[in-house]
Amino acid sequence: MGTSLTVGVFVFEDAEELDVVGPWEVFGFWAAHVATAPVRLVTIGRGEESVRCAKGLRLGVDHDFATAPALDVLIHPGGDGTRVLGKDTAHLDWLRQLHDQGVLLASVCTGSLTLAAAGLLKGRPATTHRDFAATLTGIDDTVDVRARDRYVDDGDIVTSAGVSAGIDMAFHLVERLGDAQAAALVRQGMQYERPVS
């Protein structure tokens, strides 16, 4: 990685906590201890000063859509709040706009349902929480749903399976955006062992 990188993590009411903080920890450790160029992490919300996640964790919001810095990567968590987001025209328009701008979109768990609702997974391979594979197909039956995969990298869109799989996806992104050594050092520093599937 030769230039700076800005990673936004979208936070919203009823987001699944680990979907947010798992990737944040991976990118944050990379930024603080391993990256050879600046990595900036920010939270982005729909305008609230803070949001309450699915199990009660309250998170601060750094920026709304209008004030967010230019992003290189957006992490879109899942959780019950995606049911509302999948019908929110402004949110879906924002995702399409980011995609058009070349931002790498990465979803965790049911975050992929929101990407599908925005029409961004049409004809593409993707994954989601295994219990929501049929829901993803119901939103867009052209999606090649790979429910057994921990994550699916399809270039400008990366999706991961349920909850803890977002951590594995984040390590993959560190390797992709940095290199294998960076990902290995972050894994070692976090004392994170690869899950056995």
Side-chain angles (χ1 to χ4, degrees):
M1 186 179 83
T3 59
S4 64
L5 189 75
T6 301
V7 179
V9 179
F10 182 64
V11 295
F12 53 94
E13 291 290 319
D14 289 325
E16 190 63 40
E17 279 87 344
L18 192 58
D19 289 11
V20 177
V21 299
W24 184 281
E25 177 66 24
V26 174
F27 279 104
F29 193 98
W30 181 37
H33 303 291
V34 177
T36 57
V39 176
R40 177 183 179 198
L41 280 91
V42 297
T43 56
I44 302 170
R46 298 194 300 169
E48 311 95 330
E49 290 184 5
S50 67
V51 295
R52 185 179 185 278
C53 294
K55 297 174 183 70
L57 179 66
R58 192 162 286 282
L59 297 172
V61 178
D62 296 322
H63 301 280
D64 61 17
F65 297 166
T67 66
L71 300 176
D72 298 292
V73 180
L74 176 76
I75 307 293
H76 195 304
D80 287 344
T82 57
R83 294 174 184 164
V84 173
L85 295 172
K87 299 173 184 174
D88 183 327
T89 304
H91 183 68
L92 301 179
D93 285 346
W94 178 64
L95 292 175
R96 286 188 283 262
Q97 180 182 12
L98 292 178
H99 184 254
D100 290 345
Q101 292 169 353
V103 175
L104 172 60
L105 301 179
S107 67
V108 184
C109 194
T110 57
S112 61
L113 304 183
T114 310
L115 296 182
L120 297 173
L121 298 182
K122 191 167 292 297
R124 303 179 75 140
T127 191
T128 191
H129 190 292
R130 63 182 172 221
D131 293 345
F132 289 86
T135 306
L136 180 54
T137 300
I139 293 169
D140 184 342
D141 64 6
T142 71
V143 179
D144 174 13
V145 180
R146 300 182 182 178
R148 294 184 179 209
D149 291 354
R150 292 288 285 178
Y151 57 84
V152 174
D153 186 332
D154 193 40
D156 56 354
I157 295 182
V158 182
T159 54
S160 72
V163 194
S164 64
I167 298 171
D168 300 315
M169 179 185 72
F171 278 114
H172 168 73
L173 290 174
V174 168
E175 182 169 345
R176 176 177 153 177
L177 299 167
D179 56 34
Q181 182 180 13
L185 289 170
V186 174
R187 189 181 299 279
Q188 181 180 18
M190 288 177 56
Q191 197 173 346
Y192 182 78
E193 306 297 330
R194 291 181 187 272
V196 177
S197 335

